[in-house]
């Protein structure tokens, strides 16, 4: 947008571009192996009856929360196959949890990914939330095609050279 100041830190550069501006995979070979952790979240907004059917295990397709949990875990493990410049990393922990919010008719989704590696696990946590949300949509679309997936965001990350990030609020 015109008139907006850049939000980048002075001197910061995009790590996936080389000095000529070409896309590249970042060389992490010289980075130390450290404990990395990331938490991401998102939500699926739906009709109250849909949320009740999901939480109550009443969908004709089966247990949506169990399917979404497995989808999130599996997707996190395959992030490098989905996001072109992500490194393949061995995940030590992937957790996917759900919190139904009846007052707002949403299903909150949170994913946590942990590893000891040379690169972070933010993308793995974000992909886990995304896949879980899409699975919820798939499982319940027969009764509510108007569901909305949104607010997928990084909540926290720690480890590595850039240290800790915690989203405010």
């Amino acid at each position: 947008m015109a008139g907006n100041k850049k939000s980048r830190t002075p001197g910061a550069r995009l790590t996936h571009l080389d000095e000529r501006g070409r896309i590249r995979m970042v060389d992490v070979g010289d980075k130390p192996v450290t404990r990395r952790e990331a938490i991401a979240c998102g939500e699926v907004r739906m009709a109250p009856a849909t949320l009740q059917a999901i939480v109550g295990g009443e969908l004709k397709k089966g247990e949506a929360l169990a399917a979404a949990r497995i989808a999130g875990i599996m997707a996190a493990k395959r992030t490098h196959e989905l996001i072109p410049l992500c490194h393949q990393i061995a995940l030590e922990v992937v957790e996917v949890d759900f919190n139904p919010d009846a007052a707002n008719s949403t299903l909150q989704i949170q994913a946590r990914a942990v590893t000891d590696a040379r690169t972070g696990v933010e993308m793995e946590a974000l992909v886990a939330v995304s896949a879980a949300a899409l699975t919820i949509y798939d499982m319940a679309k027969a009764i509510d095609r108007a569901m909305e997936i949104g607010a997928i965001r990084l909540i926290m990350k720690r480890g590595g050279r850039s240290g800790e990030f915690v989203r405010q609020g």
Side-chain angles (χ1 to χ4, degrees), residues 43 52 138 140 168:
E43 67 182 28
Q52 184 177 359
D138 180 55
Q168 299 302 310

Side-chain angles (χ1 to χ4, degrees), residues 50-105:
T50 306
L51 183 59
Q52 184 177 359
I54 290 169
V55 172
E58 301 166 4
L59 295 176
K60 288 184 181 180
K61 276 191 163 184
E63 176 51 50
L65 297 178
R69 180 173 284 113
I70 291 169
I73 293 167
M74 290 176 63
K77 291 167 45 173
R78 299 185 77 145
T79 297
H80 69 283
E81 294 176 10
L82 301 170
I83 309 299
L85 301 176
C86 282
H87 292 84
Q88 182 174 1
I89 58 176
L91 294 170
E92 314 216 354
V93 174
V94 178
E95 299 169 340
V96 179
D97 292 307
F98 305 96
N99 182 29
D101 180 354
N104 293 305
S105 197

Side-chain angles (χ1 to χ4, degrees), residues 1 11 25-26 28 42 44 73 84 110 112 129 132 142 157-158 162:
M1 291 183 185
M25 188 170 189
V26 175
V28 297
V44 183
I73 293 167
Q110 180 174 295
R112 175 176 170 258
V129 168
K157 76 78 115 182
R158 66 174 56 112
S162 63

